[in-house]
Amino acid sequence: MGHFAIAGGSRGIGLAVSKKLIALGHSVTVFSREAGEIPSNESAKHIVHDFASADEIPTAHLTGPLDGMVYCPGSLDLAPVHRVKPESMRTAFEVNCVSAIRFLQAALPGLKASTERTASVVLLSTVAVARGLAMHTSIAAAKGALEAVARTLAAELAPKVRVNCVAPALTETDLAARFFTTDEKRAAMNAMYPLQRTGTPDDIAEAVTMLLLPGSDWITGQTLGVDGGMARVQK
């Protein structure tokens, strides 16, 4: 079975991806600040690393064949444009784009050594790139850059490594917990989507896992929206 490196794989979407891969018989090496709910068994290894820092990524844990890599860390700093600070723009860009590139650079030798026909990289974007959403300046700019990087790398690393993005809308994770603090808030969020509900980590993990595994080996350079229809559908 395969071996996958997951940045931010101990909480939220990353945790859901980790659990799904393990359930399918694969092994994961998770890089995050805390182990969280990562299973403690031979299928999962946790490496402490903060992707918001400039610390060197511990590449010793990325040696050997890697069949795929996922980058999940992100930010959700919402503000009207007149209050957007240069520092918040830089921070969003560092966490969402620069650190993703650094993680891929560290994993690249292992990805190129994969025994699969193609290794797979999946990066997490946001619906705010495809659809203009008020107060999303920092995150839309950073994730928009990440989508451009994904297409560039898909061209550069083909045919050995595939690179795709998954672009969720609002998903019920710790990062978005403030939008679900009351039944009224939850109902208002649900009403924004053609499918009448917000996303769950498992919704996103299904798409990420599909792009990681060989059944998707003719897909690269794409952004897959997993957003309840928000970006493309008006009800």
Side-chain angles (χ1 to χ4, degrees), residues 150-219:
R151 290 189 292 272
T152 299
L153 295 177
E156 181 176 333
L157 300 179
K160 185 59 182 172
V161 181
R162 300 182 294 111
V163 185
N164 293 287
C165 286
V166 169
L170 187 64
T171 305
E172 297 189 42
T173 64
D174 291 348
L175 196 63
R178 65 185 183 274
F179 299 106
F180 301 102
T181 53
T182 66
D183 291 343
E184 291 76 14
K185 283 186 176 183
R186 182 179 294 276
M189 292 296 105
N190 289 342
M192 295 171 60
Y193 296 88
L195 293 182
Q196 296 293 288
R197 69 173 178 86
T198 51
T200 68
D202 282 339
D203 290 325
I204 316 307
E206 287 285 354
V208 172
T209 303
M210 181 273 293
L211 289 171
L212 286 174
L213 298 179
S216 64
D217 66 1
W218 212 44
I219 302 174

Side-chain angles (χ1 to χ4, degrees), residues 35-122:
E37 298 176 30
I38 284 293
S40 178
N41 57 42
E42 67 278 0
S43 296
K45 178 191 297 184
H46 179 253
I47 308 302
V48 176
H49 183 73
D50 182 359
F51 287 94
S53 75
D55 295 344
E56 288 296 318
I57 294 169
T59 55
H61 300 283
L62 291 167
T63 57
L66 278 176
D67 298 298
M69 181 210 107
V70 187
Y71 186 83
C72 300
S75 60
L76 191 58
D77 183 14
L78 306 184
V81 68
H82 67 276
R83 290 177 52 194
V84 173
K85 300 291 193 295
E87 300 79 47
S88 67
M89 295 285 292
R90 294 188 188 101
T91 297
F93 191 75
E94 287 286 337
V95 171
N96 292 281
C97 189
V98 174
S99 287
I101 296 169
R102 292 178 63 224
F103 191 56
L104 187 143
Q105 288 172 327
L108 193 53
L111 292 167
K112 289 183 175 180
S114 171
T115 55
E116 294 290 345
R117 192 167 73 83
T118 58
S120 177
V121 172
V122 181

